Amino acid sequence: MTPAGAPTVFVIDDDAAVRASIQALLMSVGLRSESFGTAQEFVRSKRPDGPSCLVLDVRLPGVNGLDFQRELADAGVRIPIIFITGHGDIPMTVKAMKSGAVEFLTKPFRDQDLLDAIHQALDRDRVTRQQQSELAELRKRYESLTAREREVMGLVVSGMLNKQIASELGTSEITVKIHRGHGMRKMQAESLAELVRMAAKLELPPGKK
């Protein structure tokens, strides 16, 4: 059994010998991997939930690697990609890197170059997953606020004083302070600066000024 959260390297190459060679290399350094002969096989597979990256051949039957990179992005699949190819050229490399690829390696490449790129890709995915997890937790906290607490929070982070917010909402300053206190506690914000950072991460629309 693979421990939960263990990283997985996915290898897509139509050459079985290349797939076997890369998987043997990964096994030698204790990395789990799964391999596929086509992009379609990868899409159909059930993938474990944990840090991962994709070692992707540029020339594949059906869809080529660069088109597949775009398809994954369009589908919201954010997996770091390392391209490998026997026929690389500069425009192809530039296109792949501009679209977010971690590395573009031309066969034959050094084992260490591939391993370095894989470790970089897995680190990138870990950071992304951590950020997504933190954002999901922030959204959960925000959803626990009442409509009025959200309104007050929006005005607070826009820079308005309690007195101005009370005037804006047609309520008392004490009531604003209560809503503000509840909102800060539910959001687990220790300071106004932290609340402002949380609002920025949540991309909340600015409150009225």
Side-chain angles (χ1 to χ4, degrees):
M1 283 290 289
T2 305
T8 306
V9 180
F10 300 106
V11 182
I12 306 179
D13 196 304
D14 60 338
D15 186 329
V18 170
R19 293 199 304 272
S21 166
I22 292 174
Q23 286 197 279
L25 171 65
L26 295 171
M27 191 183 292
S28 74
V29 294
L31 280 171
R32 180 181 184 279
S33 66
E34 292 181 21
S35 75
F36 307 90
T38 67
Q40 289 73 21
E41 285 174 32
F42 171 76
V43 170
R44 288 195 297 265
S45 70
K46 183 168 172 36
R47 298 185 289 281
D49 185 28
S52 60
C53 69
L54 184 56
V55 177
L56 179 62
D57 189 18
V58 171
R59 294 181 186 271
L60 290 168
V63 60
N64 76 46
L66 292 171
D67 288 341
F68 187 53
Q69 178 187 31
R70 192 181 65 248
E71 284 177 20
L72 288 174
D74 290 347
V77 179
R78 305 273 179 247
I79 182 168
I81 296 174
I82 297 139
F83 279 105
I84 54 174
T85 182
H87 317 85
D89 58 38
I90 289 171
M92 196 185 282
T93 307
V94 168
K95 185 178 177 186
M97 300 304 281
K98 274 189 173 174
S99 298
V102 174
E103 187 56 273
F104 196 102
L105 300 172
T106 305
K107 302 172 188 172
F109 44 77
R110 289 172 57 241
D111 287 353
Q112 193 56 52
D113 288 342
L114 178 60
L115 289 175
D116 288 347
I118 284 170
H119 284 300
Q120 184 187 340
L122 291 173
D123 285 345
R124 183 190 287 188
D125 200 42
R126 281 189 194 96
V127 169
T128 300
R129 283 169 177 273
Q130 180 63 29
Q131 288 169 342
Q132 286 171 340
S133 170
E134 287 170 4
L135 186 57
E137 173 59 29
L138 268 187
R139 284 205 182 103
K140 199 168 150 190
R141 291 180 204 167
Y142 184 69
E143 281 161 14
S144 75
L145 302 184
T146 65
R148 182 44 68 100
E149 285 163 359
R150 288 182 197 180
E151 204 171 7
V152 169
M153 176 177 164
L155 296 170
V156 165
V157 300
S158 76
M160 287 175 73
L161 303 172
N162 288 347
K163 162 166 83 175
Q164 294 169 314
I165 296 170
S167 170
E168 176 75 40
L169 299 180
T171 188
S172 72
E173 208 173 325
I174 289 174
T175 303
V176 169
K177 280 181 183 171
I178 290 169
H179 286 311
R180 179 174 177 159
H182 286 169
M184 295 275 286
R185 193 175 67 253
K186 288 181 183 177
M187 290 301 294
Q188 297 176 29
E190 299 290 329
S191 65
L192 174 58
E194 193 177 358
L195 193 68
V196 169
R197 281 196 295 273
M198 288 176 173
K201 283 182 184 172
L202 289 166
E203 297 180 348
L204 301 182
K208 296 177 192 170
K209 288 199 177 181

